[in-house]
Structure formats: C-alpha cells, structure tokens
Amino acid sequence: MSEPAIPTVTLRPGIEIPLLGLGTWQAKEGEAYEAVRTALDLGYRHIDTARAYGNEEEVGRAVADSGIDRSEIFVTTKLPSEEVGDAPRIIDESLAKLGLDHVDLWLVHWPPNNEARPDVWADVVAAQQAGKARAIGVSNYSPAQIDELTDATGVTPSINQIPWSPADYDADLVAAHRDRDVVLEGYSPFKRTDLDDAVLAEVAAAHGVTPTQVVLRWHLDTGVVVIPKSVNRERLAANLDVTGFSLSADEIAKVSALGS
Ligand SMILES: NC(=O)c1ccc[n+]([C@@H]2O[C@H](COP(=O)([O-])OP(=O)(O)OC[C@H]3O[C@@H](n4cnc5c(N)ncnc54)[C@H](OP(=O)(O)O)[C@@H]3O)[C@@H](O)[C@H]2O)c1
C-alpha cells in the first residue's frame, strides 16, 4: 500500500510536524501498543502521548517494533503540570519509558495552577538545548500566558495544543497564534463536535466522505494540527484517509461558522 501524503507544517526551529497524528489518551493498557502499531502500519507518522496517559512505554515499544526509521516518526510527549518542579528528571523518565534519546516535541501539559511559570519553561528550553526535544511548546495556554514565557525567557513556544473543533473555531484565537508564530494544534476533534450536524453532513455528502473526515480535512485545510484518537483499525484507517479530497473556501467558511 502506498503511503498517504499527510501535509506538514514547520515548527520553530525548522522542524516538520505532520498535520495529522494519532492521539493516545484513554487508550487502555495493551490498546495503546496495538493502536500505535496499526497506525504506523497504515501510514501514520505522528504519535501524541503524555506522561499522564501512562502509555509512554507501550508507545515506545510500538515505535521500536514497527521497524520504521526513528527519524520518520514524530513523537510528542508532555510534562504534567503536577510535576513541573521536577522537569529535568521527568524528561529523562519519559525518554527512558519511550526508549528514545529524544522526542520530537515536548509540551508543558497545562499551565500549572493556571500560571504561565517561566521558570518551568526555562527548564523545558534547557531540555531542548540538551538535545532531548527537537521542538518545545505548551498546551492549554492562553496567548497572554505565551507572551509571559516569551517576555521572561526570550523563547516562544513553537506550538500550543488546545481543544479545537469546528464548534471551537475562533478567528481571533487563530490570529493570536499566527501573530506569535505559534502553530495551533487541536485536540478532541470528534468529542467536541456534533457529528450529526447538518452542515457537516452536507459537506460530507458533496465529497462522498463522512462527517468525521470533513472535521479532519477542515483542520488540514486551515493548517491546524489534529490528533484524533482511535484504537480501532477501521477508524484509524478512515481517519487517515483524508488526503483524496479538500474543502473549497466556501466549505471551509461554512464549517468554521459552526464556531460562531
Ligand atoms: N493536551 C491536552 O490537554 C489534551 C486533552 C485531550 C486530548 N489530548 C490529545 O488529543 C487526542 C485526541 O483527543 P481525544 O482522545 O480527547 O478525542 P477525539 O480524538 O476527538 O475522540 C476520540 C473518540 O472518538 C472515537 N473515534 C475515533 N475515530 C472515530 C471515527 N472515525 N468515527 C467515530 N468515532 C471515532 C474514539 O473511539 P475508538 O478509539 O473506539 O475509535 C474515541 O472514543 C488525545 O488522544 C490526546 O492525545 C490532549
């Protein structure tokens, strides 16, 4: 089977992240290994995990067992907000569990106690400088919190992973990320979507695809990274099968209007 061409976007400092990856939150014990193996077989090259998901070891084993060159797989993990005081130890533990000498992206999972915490960010920057993460970023941060990190350290997170779906679409938030050269990465694309929505059904019918595929294609066509989770082979394949069509400007506008 030929590999589907998933587009990429560039993260500072010049690292390509595939716009579509596999989410692994709530993949149960044993499921994460199988899901990642299947996903890599199908052509996924981007896996999103986190220390808090408890599956770094399974993800790492699946990456190793896949036989695919490490350099072809983009792996993200995250620093739990409860453990930010221990960041240097946590990245080493994550790498040990993953069986990797670096991750492609390390994120602060949440602003600790809803604070930006530049001191924590400085530790994340140090991990990148030590070669333990190729790119670094945050998750669930506001643009103002990102500015606090930049102002204090001179280093802007390259990406912000936040809840995102057509219903969450917010042009101001998109612009706030673009203006800061921060890539927007969305999570929970399906959980946050009414998959019975009439607009999604209409667009899906026009392309002979499903509403879930329209949601994923809308992310790709708007340059937002998306990481749908599945542990089911058919759904993993369907979620990757979004390269054979694209949305018109009018369709993108209609889907984005679900957020207003
Ligand atoms: N940074 C953060 O704070 C944060 C928070 C939440 C999530 N995340 C990341 O984002 C990823 C995705 O978000 P999520 O897991 O919350 O939600 P999601 O990807 O929107 O939805 C996952 C659910 O949708 C089902 N599903 C998958 N493909 C489907 C399809 N084609 N048709 C119908 N149902 C389908 C899955 O079931 P099956 O597995 O049975 O297919 C699962 O129940 C997470 O796994 C995690 O990696 C990050």
Side-chain angles (χ1 to χ4, degrees), residues 105-150:
L105 179 63
W106 196 35
L107 303 177
V108 182
H109 204 148
W110 287 86
N113 297 316
N114 204 23
E115 290 171 11
R117 293 287 300 271
D119 58 321
V120 170
W121 182 240
D123 281 343
V124 175
V125 172
Q128 183 187 30
Q129 286 166 347
K132 296 177 183 183
R134 294 171 72 224
I136 51 174
V138 291
S139 179
N140 300 299
Y141 273 59
S142 68
Q145 288 173 324
I146 290 173
D147 288 342
E148 260 192 74
L149 301 184
T150 306

Side-chain angles (χ1 to χ4, degrees), residues 25 48 139-140 161 188 190-191 227 229-231 235 239:
W25 182 40
D48 182 87
S139 179
N140 300 299
Q161 187 181 110
S188 304
F190 302 148
K191 285 182 187 164
I227 43 172
K229 173 262 180 187
S230 183
V231 294
R235 289 190 285 279
N239 294 346

Side-chain angles (χ1 to χ4, degrees), residues 17-217:
I17 178 171
L19 274 172
L20 187 122
L22 173 69
T24 64
W25 182 40
Q26 294 175 326
K28 297 190 195 78
E29 207 175 328
E31 284 182 342
Y33 176 85
E34 287 304 330
V36 175
R37 280 301 301 272
T38 305
L40 291 171
D41 274 356
L42 289 167
Y44 286 75
R45 290 295 180 267
H46 168 185
I47 313 293
D48 182 87
T49 182
R51 177 172 167 90
Y53 303 165
N55 59 24
E56 287 173 313
E57 189 271 333
E58 285 190 41
V59 168
R61 209 155 31 83
V63 166
D65 291 353
S66 73
I68 297 164
D69 198 277
R70 164 69 184 101
S71 65
E72 288 181 30
I73 306 176
F74 191 100
V75 179
T76 301
T77 194
K78 312 186 191 90
L79 169 67
S81 54
E82 302 77 18
E83 294 181 291
V84 289
D86 255 346
R89 180 176 64 81
I90 301 302
I91 185 63
D92 287 343
E93 283 191 15
S94 283
L95 292 176
K97 286 205 171 112
L98 286 162
L100 301 176
D101 62 4
H102 68 273
V103 286
D104 297 282
L105 179 63
W106 196 35
L107 303 177
V108 182
H109 204 148
W110 287 86
N113 297 316
N114 204 23
E115 290 171 11
R117 293 287 300 271
D119 58 321
V120 170
W121 182 240
D123 281 343
V124 175
V125 172
Q128 183 187 30
Q129 286 166 347
K132 296 177 183 183
R134 294 171 72 224
I136 51 174
V138 291
S139 179
N140 300 299
Y141 273 59
S142 68
Q145 288 173 324
I146 290 173
D147 288 342
E148 260 192 74
L149 301 184
T150 306
D151 293 345
T153 65
V155 181
T156 303
S158 63
I159 195 166
N160 190 19
Q161 187 181 110
I162 58 174
W164 200 248
S165 69
D168 294 303
Y169 182 76
D170 174 342
D172 291 341
L173 196 52
V174 171
H177 285 81
R178 191 178 50 231
D179 292 348
R180 290 163 175 78
D181 189 24
V182 175
V183 171
L184 205 163
E185 176 171 23
Y187 69 70
S188 304
F190 302 148
K191 285 182 187 164
R192 303 180 66 81
T193 297
D194 172 7
L195 294 170
D196 294 325
D197 180 88
V199 170
L200 295 179
E202 183 197 322
V203 175
H207 292 279
V209 299
T210 63
T212 49
Q213 290 171 318
V214 170
V215 169
L216 298 176
R217 189 67 226 186

